[in-house]
Every structure is written in structure tokens, then in C-alpha cells.
Amino acid sequence: MLSVHAADPEQGLNLALSAVVGYVSLVCWMVVMFPQIYMNYQRKSGEGVSLVMMIAWVCGDIFNITGALMQGLVSSTVLIGSYYLFVDSTLLYQIVYYRLVYQAHRPKDSCEDEQSRLTAAADNSNDDGLARAADRASVRDARGQSGSQLQTVLSLLLSLSAMAILVVLVVALVAGTGSAEPPTPGDGAKTSPLPLSQVIAQAMGTASATVYIMSYVPQAVQNYQRKSCE
């Protein structure tokens, strides 16, 4: 329930509208990934979503929650961040599962069905060319499957390494700048350095923002390479 108190009725209306728009925006952001999760489940595939982007989102969520906890922010910030982490982790799990586990078994059956279909067609039409096409299709699918799995594993390892390096660089950058609290009147030029926990918390926030901003680049590159948004 919204409770807005203001001496000026117009100001009160503006505050109420602002609160409503804020809640609507929050709800939209909380359900934005549901259609993609459902679509992946229906298709039994996670090929349409960039693996690197989802790893970046999960890392960004972890940085965000860690920084919020270290800075003692309000519990709602931590709860919302934890919810985002859960949703993004679910989507990441779908991608890894469908690419590595599900596809490791499903394409084998599909290849056998396709080979059987082509072989049967070859027998019915007494066309040796169709039989050779069935063999080539089987070999091609097997090679494509192994190559796709290897590419997924390499992408996962490279992404995790890049995120770890980013965190180290951000922490080193923030710590090296000698962050200090602004001097208060009467203290002259004296400044007191921030505690290490605050420096790390700020670094986590910076890393989280950086990861979120850069995370859409891999998806854009993937769409461009495939010439598809499916």
C-alpha cells in the first residue's frame, strides 16, 4: 500500500505516480527472464542465449550482493539481488545443461533416426546415393556435436578467467587510488583512509556495474555471427 504525505497536492500526486512507476518497473525487471526460461524449456535448447553473457550476469549479481552486504545496505537490496542471482543462475543452468548434458544424448537418437530414415528411403528407391548421404549426415552430426561441446567448455573457462581477472584489476585499481574520506570542516588537509572492507565493497560495486554494462556485447556478437536472434 502506498502512503504519500505532502502539503502540496500536486507534489503528493507526483510522489504517488513516481512510487507506482517505480514498483511497475521493479515487477517488470523481476519477470523479464521468465519468457526466455520457458522458451528454453519448450525447445530443450539454450543456443539462443550467449553463455558468456549469462556468466557475466551471475558474476555481476555475486559482486552486487557481496558489496551490499559489506556496506550494510538495506535488506531489500540484498533480497532483490539474491532473487536476480537465482533467476540468472537458473537460466545459466539451462544453457549448460541443454548444451552439455541434454545434447550429449539427444542428438545421438536424432542422428540414428535421421540415418534410419535416409537408409529406408535408399532401400525403397534402390538409390545408393541416399545411403551414402545418410553416412555423411551421421559423421557430420557427430563432429558438430563434439565441436559444440568443446566450444562451450572453452567459453565457460575463458569467461570465468576473465571475470576473475576483472575483479583483481578493479580491487587493485580502487585500492591503489588511496581512496579516502573527504575532509570535514576544521580538519584541514587531514584525510582518513577508508577501511579495507569499504574499499573492497566499492570495488565489488564497480565490478558489478562494469560486468552488467559489458555483458550484452557477447550476445550482440553471437547474434551477428549467426545472423539470427532466435
Side-chain angles (χ1 to χ4, degrees):
M1 180 180 295
L2 299 177
S3 178
V4 179
H5 301 280
D8 187 357
E10 183 177 355
Q11 182 182 5
L13 178 60
N14 291 337
L15 291 175
L17 291 176
S18 176
V20 170
V21 171
Y23 283 119
V24 171
S25 174
L26 178 61
V27 171
C28 290
W29 278 108
M30 293 183 71
V31 301
V32 67
M33 299 307 299
F34 287 176
Q36 185 64 57
I37 293 175
Y38 181 70
M39 181 181 295
N40 291 346
Y41 173 76
Q42 277 190 320
R43 295 179 174 180
K44 300 296 186 292
S45 171
E47 295 297 331
V49 183
S50 170
L51 175 64
V52 178
M53 183 185 72
M54 291 314 307
I55 294 175
W57 281 9
V58 171
C59 291
D61 294 335
I62 295 174
F63 297 153
N64 182 35
I65 296 173
T66 303
L69 291 173
M70 295 183 68
Q71 288 185 314
L73 300 183
V74 293
S75 58
S76 59
T77 302
V78 178
L79 291 176
I80 293 175
S82 300
Y83 172 79
Y84 287 149
L85 176 61
F86 171 76
V87 174
D88 293 341
S89 298
T90 301
L91 188 52
L92 177 60
Y93 169 79
Q94 278 190 321
I95 296 173
V96 174
Y97 173 78
Y98 286 135
R99 291 187 184 184
L100 295 181
V101 181
Y102 186 83
Q103 293 297 334
H105 301 85
R106 184 68 175 182
K108 184 182 299 183
D109 299 335
S110 300
C111 292
E112 291 177 355
D113 294 341
E114 181 68 13
Q115 185 176 1
S116 300
R117 186 183 66 81
L118 292 175
T119 304
D123 293 338
N124 293 334
S125 61
N126 294 321
D127 189 352
D128 294 336
L130 287 179
R132 289 193 297 269
D135 294 336
R136 288 195 298 269
S138 178
V139 173
R140 186 167 54 250
D141 290 338
R143 289 178 178 176
Q145 175 186 346
S146 59
S148 177
Q149 292 180 1
L150 179 60
Q151 183 178 4
T152 300
V153 173
L154 290 177
S155 299
L156 182 62
L157 294 176
L158 290 175
S159 302
L160 292 176
S161 301
M163 294 306 162
I165 294 173
L166 176 62
V167 173
V168 172
L169 291 177
V170 170
V171 172
L173 177 62
V174 175
T177 56
S179 299
E181 297 177 355
T184 57
D187 289 345
K190 293 182 179 180
T191 58
S192 57
L194 290 176
L196 180 60
S197 61
Q198 292 296 319
V199 173
I200 296 177
Q202 292 183 3
M204 289 293 179
T206 303
S208 176
T210 304
V211 168
Y212 284 142
I213 292 173
M214 299 301 296
S215 63
Y216 292 97
V217 176
Q219 183 67 59
V221 172
Q222 176 175 298
N223 293 346
Y224 173 78
Q225 290 177 339
R226 296 182 175 182
K227 300 297 187 293
S228 173
C229 295
E230 294 295 329

